[in-house]
């Protein structure tokens, strides 16, 4: 009696030479076992011969495309890996250069500032020269006799510092009421201001309950705040020259 | 061309060097381009088997193509670790592993599953005096494939790898992570089941008389 499993292994050639010889000998004595072995062999052959071969060309092409993608990705990874230190260096230099360029440009382009930072009460005069200037303005306040057709009367002068620059604040008045005039010795762009339609060199905005007009020009910026219309502020601004000392000469000092 | 005659010692050293190179794992000698070309050449040859096995396991063309492609990618990644023996067996092992680990879990519908593996193994032969190769001569490929589809998965896997792809018992055991004894019993039972399914076709189509199997 041959175990069926051994018979299958015999047909598959998976028995050791000794086992193989033993099964072979038994098969000679058992026609039934021989028939079973032949049936296994036939079935195996039938399966092998008649199993369908699936068309695989298209699927293989897809595989090749995928392998190409993998190779490409590996090449990129390899290049990045190999030159990573150099790339880091290049990026670092680019960042440093970018910073330098930005810093250089920031010297040229007017920085944005909130107007609140320029108004009295937010900062104080500190340096000796600012104190001297203040005294000089006060001296002008007492001595000057100048006036214009629509005279501005200077009531108070104070100086505060914005980023190390002295911002002169003049509290003045004319026939329409009080004004605050800020004279800043640097080009500044004040935030939340939009260009005036008829005079794009002027920029308009609001600060609390006051309208506000600014005029950056050359190395100076002049700002006027008052509770009055933009047109009126623009009229006052048009009277003021750019230079701060000239401004003083246009204001009637009482 | 210059011919250099080596003396005995030099020749022995050269042979030693050749032996040493010969003992190096083959993949270590691949350049990247060589690796791709070698892999592609070998993979293309066995791809019909890879796809066919995937198709017989998943019973879905779409899943089979995905499985075959994934197997190719995995094999390409691991090609440096291929020991250089039987590439087809190695590929089919990857396909089978992938199928077992990934695809089998998400197979829809009831699993035919594994029947009791230690059940009695029925004989393959018929009572008829005619040899099977004559009885089943009219059976066509689609009928073989359909009959294979009726064999439970673990048994089917053994039959596919052995009878269609020609893997040895050890290679099947490696591919399916079961002992050789289990491979032997699965193969014996799988063939019996395949035989029963083919008989049904043969009787239905009139190739085989019903009383021949009774």
């Amino acid at each position: 009696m041959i175990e069926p499993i051994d018979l299958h292994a015999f047909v598959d050639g998976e028995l050791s030479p000794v086992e193989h010889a033993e099964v072979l000998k038994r098969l000679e004595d058992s026609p039934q076992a021989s028939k079973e072995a032949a049936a296994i062999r036939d079935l195996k052959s039938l399966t092998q011969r008649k199993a369908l071969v699936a068309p695989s060309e298209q699927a293989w092409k897809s595989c090749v495309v995928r392998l190409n993608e993998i190779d490409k990705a590996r090449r990129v990874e390899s290049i990045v890996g190999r030159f990573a230190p150099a790339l880091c260096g290049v990026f670092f230099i680019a960042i440093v250069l970018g910073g330098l360029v930005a810093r250089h440009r920031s010297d040229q382009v007017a920085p944005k500032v909130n107007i609140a930072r320029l108004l009295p009460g937010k900062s104080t005069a500190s340096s000796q020269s600012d104190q001297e200037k203040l005294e000089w303005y006060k001296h002008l306040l007492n001595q000057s006799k100048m006036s214009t057709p629509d005279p501005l009367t200077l009531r108070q002068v104070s100086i505060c510092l914005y980023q190390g620059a002295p911002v002169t604040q003049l509290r003045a008045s004319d026939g329409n009421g009080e004004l605050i005039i800020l004279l800043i010795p640097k080009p500044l762009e004040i935030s939340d201001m939009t260009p005036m339609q008829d005079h794009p060199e002027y920029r308009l905005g609001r600060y609390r309950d006051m309208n506000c007009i600014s005029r950056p020009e050359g190395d100076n910026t002049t700002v006027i705040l008052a509770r009055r219309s933009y047109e009126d502020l623009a009229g006052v601004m048009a009277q003021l020259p750019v230079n701060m000392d000239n401004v003083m000469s246009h204001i009637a000092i009482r | 061309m210059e011919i250099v005659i080596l003396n005995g010692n030099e020749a022995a050293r050269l042979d030693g060097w050749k032996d040493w190179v010969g003992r190096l794992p083959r993949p270590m000698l691949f350049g990247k381009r060589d690796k791709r070309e070698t892999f592609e050449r070998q993979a293309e040859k066995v791809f019909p088997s890879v796809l066919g096995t995937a198709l017989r396991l998943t019973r879905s063309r779409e899943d089979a193509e995905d499985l075959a492609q994934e197997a190719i990618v995995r094999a390409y990644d691991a090609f440096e670790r291929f020991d250089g023996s039987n590439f087809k067996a190695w590929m089919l092992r990857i396909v089978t592993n992938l199928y077992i680990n990934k695809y089998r879990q998400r197979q829809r519908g009831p699993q035919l599953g594994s029947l009791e593996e230690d059940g009695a193994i029925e004989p393959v032969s018929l009572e008829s005096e005619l040899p099977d190769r004559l009885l089943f001569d009219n059976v066509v490929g689609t009928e073989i494939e359909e009959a294979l589809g009726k064999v439970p998965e673990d048994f089917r896997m053994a039959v596919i790898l052995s009878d269609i792809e020609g893997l040895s018992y050890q290679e099947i055991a490696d591919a399916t992570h079961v002992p050789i004894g289990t491979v032997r019993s699965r193969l014996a039972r799988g063939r019996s089941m395949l035989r029963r399914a083919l008989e049904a076709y043969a009787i239905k189509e009139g190739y085989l008389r019903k009383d021949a199997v009774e």
Side-chain angles (χ1 to χ4, degrees):
Chain A
M1 176 70 187
I2 306 171
E3 286 293 322
I5 286 179
D6 289 340
L7 209 49
H8 282 270
F10 169 78
V11 171
D12 291 330
E14 292 279 352
L15 293 178
S16 68
V18 176
E19 290 169 327
H20 186 87
E22 197 176 318
V23 171
L24 205 56
K25 193 180 170 201
R26 286 188 188 179
L27 283 177
E28 286 169 7
D29 301 335
S30 167
Q32 184 57 37
S34 296
K35 190 184 166 196
E36 175 69 7
I40 295 169
R41 204 171 284 119
D42 285 348
L43 181 67
K44 188 175 170 177
S45 159
L46 177 81
T47 313
Q48 202 166 29
R49 278 187 294 116
K50 296 211 171 174
L52 295 177
V53 178
S56 59
E57 293 78 17
Q58 205 55 43
W60 173 248
K61 279 179 190 165
S62 305
C63 290
V64 171
V65 169
R66 184 90 187 272
L67 292 180
N68 288 340
E69 285 168 3
I70 291 171
D71 278 349
K72 199 173 170 184
R74 279 183 185 166
R75 271 199 299 275
V76 171
E77 279 171 14
S78 160
I79 289 169
V80 170
R82 193 176 303 162
F83 298 110
L87 285 173
C88 286
V90 168
F91 280 127
F92 178 74
I93 291 168
I95 289 166
V96 169
L97 286 177
L100 289 175
V101 169
R103 189 171 176 180
H104 177 67
R105 285 187 63 191
S106 70
D107 289 344
Q108 294 177 336
V109 176
K112 282 199 168 189
V113 60
N114 191 312
I115 198 165
R117 303 190 64 183
L118 304 171
L119 288 171
K122 299 293 178 187
S123 53
T124 56
S126 56
S127 71
Q128 184 66 29
S129 63
D130 293 341
Q131 291 293 341
E132 284 169 3
K133 214 167 200 172
L134 181 59
E135 290 304 318
W136 182 70
Y137 282 130
K138 282 180 178 172
H139 175 70
L140 284 177
L141 185 70
N142 294 327
Q143 300 297 320
S144 177
K145 298 280 189 275
M146 232 180 124
S147 65
T148 64
D150 185 11
L152 278 172
T153 305
L154 185 60
R155 299 193 178 281
Q156 191 186 355
V157 178
S158 62
I159 293 176
C160 76
L161 289 177
Y162 174 70
Q163 289 186 345
V167 177
T168 306
Q169 302 161 13
L170 308 174
R171 283 185 179 272
S173 63
D174 61 7
N176 292 327
E178 288 199 348
L179 303 131
I180 299 172
I181 301 169
L182 303 175
L183 306 169
I184 307 148
K186 64 195 294 184
L188 279 183
E189 189 183 330
I190 297 168
S191 56
D192 302 325
M193 304 272 279
T194 52
M196 191 174 184
Q197 208 164 15
D198 299 336
H199 301 280
E201 71 273 22
Y202 296 162
R203 301 182 74 80
L204 308 176
R206 266 190 82 74
Y207 177 67
R208 294 188 175 167
D209 57 346
M210 292 184 284
N211 281 337
C212 169
I213 187 167
S214 78
R215 180 182 63 188
E217 199 167 316
D219 292 334
N220 298 295
T221 306
T222 308
V223 182
I224 305 175
L225 300 103
R227 289 186 194 88
R228 57 177 76 177
S229 70
Y230 288 122
E231 287 73 21
D232 192 69
L233 288 178
V236 175
M237 182 69 91
Q239 288 181 37
L240 301 177
V242 174
N243 185 284
M244 199 189 316
D245 290 336
N246 288 345
V247 171
M248 296 305 297
S249 68
H250 276 73
I251 297 173
I253 306 292
R254 194 172 60 182
Chain B
M1 189 175 87
E2 191 183 1
I3 297 171
V4 179
I5 299 169
L6 301 174
N7 63 33
N9 287 340
E10 285 169 337
R13 274 207 302 277
L14 189 61
D15 285 344
W17 170 254
K18 282 178 185 169
D19 285 349
W20 183 80
V21 171
R23 281 199 301 272
L24 281 176
R26 279 174 54 202
M28 278 182 68
L29 301 174
F30 288 159
K32 279 179 185 171
R33 191 180 296 258
D34 287 346
K35 177 195 163 186
R36 169 66 191 267
E37 283 173 5
T38 310
F39 176 79
E40 202 172 317
R41 199 169 50 247
Q42 298 198 48
E44 189 173 8
K45 270 188 213 163
V46 302
F47 190 70
S49 290
V50 169
L51 185 64
T53 303
L55 202 51
R56 289 182 184 103
L57 292 175
T58 60
R59 318 293 299 170
S60 145
R61 178 83 200 183
E62 195 181 339
D63 281 351
E65 286 186 3
D66 285 350
L67 177 59
Q69 191 176 99
E70 199 171 343
I72 290 288
V73 170
R74 294 270 179 105
Y76 186 49
D77 280 342
F79 191 48
E80 280 157 12
R81 297 194 294 275
F82 170 54
D83 61 7
S85 53
N86 184 344
F87 186 75
K88 182 177 168 183
W90 185 66
M91 279 301 311
L92 292 177
R93 182 177 173 176
I94 293 173
V95 175
T96 314
N97 274 323
L98 266 177
Y99 173 74
I100 291 169
N101 294 332
K102 198 169 175 184
Y103 284 78
R104 186 148 73 175
Q105 280 90 351
R106 63 182 177 90
Q107 287 282 302
R108 290 178 187 168
Q111 286 284 312
L112 288 171
S114 301
L115 300 178
E116 285 295 319
E117 293 196 13
D118 52 358
I121 296 168
E122 297 172 37
V124 164
S125 62
L126 294 169
E127 293 300 317
S128 159
E129 292 302 315
L130 286 171
D132 279 7
R133 63 177 171 277
L134 297 180
L135 289 171
F136 289 129
D137 212 30
N138 293 319
V139 170
V140 294
T142 48
E143 289 164 349
I144 293 274
E145 298 294 345
E146 281 182 39
L148 261 176
K150 290 182 176 167
V151 176
E153 194 175 270
D154 289 338
F155 302 96
R156 183 168 76 233
M157 206 180 279
V159 174
I160 292 167
L161 294 178
S162 169
D163 294 357
I164 299 178
E165 302 304 340
L167 265 52
S168 69
Y169 284 10
Q170 185 59 58
E171 287 165 341
I172 298 170
D174 290 342
T176 52
H177 300 289
V178 293
I180 283 190
T182 307
V183 172
R184 290 171 68 156
S185 68
R186 280 184 184 178
L187 203 47
R189 294 206 67 201
R191 281 174 182 157
S192 296
M193 291 173 198
L194 177 64
R195 171 58 200 254
R196 300 287 165 258
L198 283 173
E199 275 173 19
Y201 277 111
I203 292 167
K204 186 178 158 196
E205 298 297 326
Y207 312 145
L208 190 64
R209 281 182 295 112
K210 197 172 180 182
D211 56 358
V213 295
E214 286 170 352

